[in-house]
Amino acid sequence: MAPVYSSYVCIFISTLFMLMVASSHVNTAAVTSTAILVTVDQSGNGDYEKIQDIINAVPSDNRELVFIRVKPGIYKEKIIMPADKLFITISGSKANGTIITWNDSGEIFESPTFTMLASDFVGRYLTIQDTLLDDTGRHYYKSCYIEGAVDFIFGNAASLFKMCHLHSLSEGDAAITAQRRQSPSEDT
């Protein structure tokens, strides 16, 4: 059902290009003006129906820019971005139209809705409900809506959240984030 992974190329967006150039993993493949474009649409009108399926299709130690356009809808899936899946952007068209949700509990590192372990990631125009494990690497989140109860953004990544709405469902005093920094000298 899905086309060959590398068959889609598009003009690269300058904002994303600047972020990747500033990354610690810059190489000649990442400093190009094109990206692989893949569309996720759960109704079957895209290249993939699930976000995790395209992430799994990206080769390990990827060095090409991959732009995953996610069509509006509620995606009930657990997303895990492994550490060897670099240079990936996941983008909806507007934050309240592309919702990633899961309902899990238990061990803190096993239960997140969205787990980010790769570096050089960009997330835009997404709603992530429940928990975001933002544990390693450098990430840029723009115009996202992230909702949860307690410590719903946690990890040890060096991340920038720009124009994001963080919504706490807690009825009492509760932390939104839980930084896992081990010492003041860490730059996370």
Side-chain angles (χ1 to χ4, degrees):
M1 177 152 106
V4 176
Y5 167 74
S6 63
S7 64
Y8 294 94
V9 177
C10 72
I11 301 301
F12 189 65
I13 298 171
S14 63
T15 303
L16 178 61
F17 176 71
M18 296 305 288
L19 178 67
M20 293 302 152
V21 170
S23 164
S24 62
H25 295 284
V26 172
N27 63 44
T28 55
V31 186
T32 63
S33 62
T34 61
I36 296 167
L37 172 64
V38 184
T39 301
V40 175
D41 186 347
Q42 62 188 352
S43 68
N45 293 320
D47 304 313
Y48 291 85
E49 292 181 14
K50 293 185 174 192
I51 300 166
Q52 189 64 52
D53 289 346
I54 178 52
I55 293 169
N56 294 344
V58 173
S60 294
D61 298 318
N62 173 56
R63 295 293 177 211
E64 295 184 88
L65 300 169
V66 178
F67 190 93
I68 301 171
R69 180 178 52 202
V70 183
K71 294 289 187 162
I74 298 173
Y75 292 82
K76 293 181 181 176
E77 56 179 304
K78 189 179 201 99
I79 305 298
I80 300 173
M81 186 77 68
D84 62 350
K85 306 286 180 148
L86 308 172
F87 306 113
I88 294 177
T89 293
I90 298 177
S91 181
S93 55
K94 56 184 180 175
N96 64 358
T98 305
I99 300 166
I100 302 169
T101 186
W102 192 253
N103 187 11
D104 204 352
S105 61
E107 205 280 316
I108 195 165
F109 287 96
E110 301 296 324
S111 63
T113 298
F114 199 102
T115 300
M116 178 52 55
L117 302 172
S119 193
D120 304 295
F121 170 77
V122 176
R124 336 172 341 163
Y125 307 112
L126 301 170
T127 292
I128 301 170
Q129 294 180 330
D130 194 80
T131 308
L132 168 62
L133 171 54
D134 192 35
D135 200 37
T136 60
R138 296 168 50 142
H139 314 124
Y140 179 70
Y141 299 88
K142 181 181 177 198
S143 301
C144 296
Y145 178 93
I146 304 170
E147 176 180 280
V150 178
D151 297 342
F152 56 93
I153 300 173
F154 68 102
N156 200 32
S159 299
L160 174 64
F161 293 81
K162 182 178 180 182
M163 297 172 22
C164 291
H165 181 109
L166 308 179
H167 182 83
S168 175
L169 297 173
S170 176
E171 293 181 13
D173 294 335
I176 292 173
T177 64
Q179 170 54 258
R180 204 166 57 100
R181 186 180 305 186
Q182 300 295 316
S183 76
S185 64
E186 289 184 57
D187 62 355
T188 59

